[in-house]
Amino acid sequence: MKEVVGIDAGSATVQDAEHLLGRLLEEVLGRTDAMVACTHFVRGERPHVALSVTGVDSAALVSLELGVASGSERSGPPELAAGAALAAAAFAAGEGRAVIYPGVSGLVGTRSASEVLAESAIEEIDVMGGGVASLVHTRDFVRPEYVNGRLVLLTQPAGGGGVVPFEVPNPTPCCADH
């Protein structure tokens, strides 16, 4: 079982959770090359997004107004601590949308699929509708998901050859046009 810290601030969206992660990495936790950080949906009366992060000291987070879970330890408001525990358990079970992972900083511009697989923690590139990826136009935004413990990048065919990550950097909010 991987050691992991769950963090929950009740973030409404994955973008909000990523902003929280960025702030925590810069101000409290620091960042290492081996670190993995994921987002996880927390269902319930008030659905939201929590985080899991490996390789950090949970004690640095206890004084903040966050739910924190590490092993059997819990801190923060009970609802958020429960969400943090769910995120940590999901990561330990091999699930999560990866934001930080080994090699992510090098996934910029257009890269060959073999480079993506060799130089990052991504283990598989899955092309929607079938096919094989040769070039990956990263759009400088690569968010693979853990599927049964394997880090998989879901892509779709792109104009001009190659593939792009299925998740776009700036998605249009639901109902944005009305």
Side-chain angles (χ1 to χ4, degrees):
M1 183 171 158
K2 300 173 185 173
E3 289 189 39
V4 61
V5 175
I7 303 168
D8 193 350
S11 300
T13 66
V14 291
Q15 291 80 17
D16 292 343
E18 284 194 32
H19 287 291
L20 170 66
L21 175 63
R23 209 171 60 243
L24 291 173
L25 293 175
E26 183 177 321
E27 298 172 4
V28 180
L29 299 171
R31 182 173 170 171
T32 65
D33 291 340
M35 177 181 283
V36 176
C38 295
T39 59
H40 305 271
F41 289 104
V42 177
R43 292 168 174 69
E45 288 183 33
R46 196 178 61 80
H48 61 280
V49 182
L51 299 164
S52 62
V53 183
T54 65
V56 297
D57 182 1
S58 63
L61 300 165
V62 171
S63 65
L64 304 176
E65 292 295 319
L66 304 168
V68 177
S70 178
S72 61
E73 302 283 325
R74 307 281 183 272
S75 65
E79 179 184 324
L80 296 179
L86 288 172
F91 183 82
E95 301 171 358
R97 173 185 164 273
V99 178
I100 305 289
Y101 49 94
V104 66
S105 61
L107 299 179
V108 294
T110 299
R111 306 292 306 270
S112 72
S114 60
E115 289 173 328
V116 170
L117 296 172
E119 298 172 11
S120 75
I122 295 173
E123 300 171 83
E124 180 180 335
I125 300 172
D126 189 5
V127 181
M128 289 181 61
V132 176
S134 57
L135 288 177
V136 179
H137 306 287
T138 68
R139 299 185 287 204
D140 302 344
F141 187 85
V142 182
R143 301 292 190 264
E145 292 202 22
Y146 280 99
V147 178
N148 298 320
R150 291 180 47 84
L151 198 54
V152 178
L153 176 62
L154 180 60
T155 64
Q156 59 187 342
V163 298
V164 294
F166 181 74
E167 184 176 346
V168 296
N170 298 305
T172 302
C174 179
C175 305
D177 61 343
H178 50 248

